[in-house]
Amino acid sequence: MLARNALEILLASPRGFCAGVDRAIQIVEQSIEKWGAPIYVRHEIVHNKHVVQRLSDLGAVFVEELDECPDDRPVIFSAHGVPKSVPKEAAKRNMIYVDATCPLVSKVHVGAERHYSEGREIILIGHEGHPEVIGTMGQLPDGVISLVQDADDARNFMPKSDKGLAYVTQTTLSVDDTVEIVSILEARFPDIAKPHKEDICYATTNRQEAVKILSQRADLLLVIGSKTSSNSLRLKEVGLREGIKAAHLIDDYSDIDWNWFDGVKTLALTAGASAPEDLVKGVITACNEKFEVTLTEVNIRNEDVVFKLPRALEQ
């Protein structure tokens, strides 16, 4: 029997579920327990097909819009947040609804509303079409918030008035990209108002920092997460920016092309904030079947954040 090649796996920590994702999943599970199936969820509760499939098997029905939901069944709003018009319409229809918006996304909403109430024009740094961006822009009247997606947008942005500017950001952006965009805006508009505390969430920041460290020591980076997951996509980009030879975003071990491992001695492995830990274990098991694996967990920071469940489910 031929000896298997050695492979060192550097396992990023923290990785996987953040507090907001964990809370959102619990909300769906406990809503099914409380009200029975089916319960409806407007948009994917989090961007991970494995999580969505498991909750579907329990009795969750995922829809894109509220008008796909019957009046007599509970509906849950996803962790990404929704425009104000959505709960308003649900209340008008006398629906039972539970808002699973991540509290850190809600903080961005509150910040945008505060700036608006103080008379400022608002810039949202984020990616067009992402549910979180749609939800944040939907907190205020149409046209109040201007979207800036990249450094070029920041250079070309022109205020609509002279009443003062403020910016807020999507929570799952690249930390480095956002620093660049903010520095451009602050250089152009020195008096621009900023968030009291950075809007990019702790989990996004921690996972990107871990990838930066691991990318200096590895030949290949695998990020477990869905293609629709903003924070997972950013992890792959961070690895490539740090100079790792190759980086791939995979849903699970079945996406692995073993040709990627030609000449690879060290693998950096992480998971986006909406990817469950069993998918990480699946990749490690698959690697164990091909290589003589040495596993090293690289912990850059401990996370102990926990968010309370909505009152309707706490009772």
Side-chain angles (χ1 to χ4, degrees), residues 5-11 214 217-221 261 264-269 284 287 291-298:
N5 290 336
L7 177 69
E8 182 181 17
I9 298 179
L10 301 178
L11 185 58
L214 266 58
R217 298 169 52 184
D219 310 303
L220 171 66
L221 168 66
F261 286 77
V264 169
K265 294 181 178 178
T266 306
L267 167 68
L269 180 61
I284 294 169
C287 288
F291 306 99
E292 286 293 337
V293 170
T294 303
L295 184 66
T296 305
E297 187 161 14
V298 180

Side-chain angles (χ1 to χ4, degrees), residues 92-228:
K92 187 178 172 184
R93 289 169 57 184
N94 292 317
M95 300 174 77
I96 295 171
Y97 66 88
V98 183
D99 190 354
T101 300
C102 173
L104 297 179
V105 174
S106 296
K107 180 181 82 71
V108 176
H109 295 176
V110 170
E113 289 183 294
R114 177 176 58 82
H115 290 308
Y116 179 63
S117 70
E118 292 172 358
R120 297 186 186 96
E121 186 177 341
I122 301 161
I123 294 169
L124 169 60
I125 302 170
H127 296 129
E128 186 173 14
H130 189 277
E132 184 183 329
V133 166
I134 294 168
T136 299
M137 295 186 82
Q139 300 306 300
L140 295 169
D142 288 348
V144 168
I145 299 178
S146 299
L147 185 63
V148 164
Q149 299 193 73
D150 53 31
D152 284 342
D153 282 356
R155 292 185 192 100
N156 296 324
F157 172 78
M158 293 303 295
K160 297 171 185 172
S161 69
D162 58 1
K163 63 182 182 179
L165 285 173
Y167 74 84
V168 295
T169 82
Q170 186 179 334
T171 63
T172 55
L173 299 176
S174 158
V175 173
D176 293 335
D177 286 348
T178 306
V179 166
E180 182 186 11
I181 293 167
V182 167
S183 66
I184 292 167
L185 291 173
E186 289 181 338
R188 292 188 63 207
F189 310 107
D191 295 328
I192 193 169
K194 60 185 75 176
H196 288 316
K197 189 179 177 185
E198 188 179 77
D199 285 338
I200 294 177
C201 86
Y202 76 93
T204 296
T205 302
N206 291 347
R207 281 149 190 72
Q208 288 182 21
E209 282 186 19
V211 164
K212 285 181 181 181
I213 291 167
L214 266 58
S215 294
Q216 304 299 325
R217 298 169 52 184
D219 310 303
L220 171 66
L221 168 66
L222 293 183
V223 178
I224 302 169
S226 293
K227 307 286 187 292
T228 51

Side-chain angles (χ1 to χ4, degrees), residues 29-48:
E29 292 170 341
Q30 293 197 24
S31 294
I32 293 168
E33 270 186 46
K34 179 168 181 171
W35 290 296
I39 59 106
Y40 286 74
V41 184
R42 186 188 178 277
H43 193 70
E44 291 184 350
I45 188 69
V46 296
H47 284 155
N48 186 276

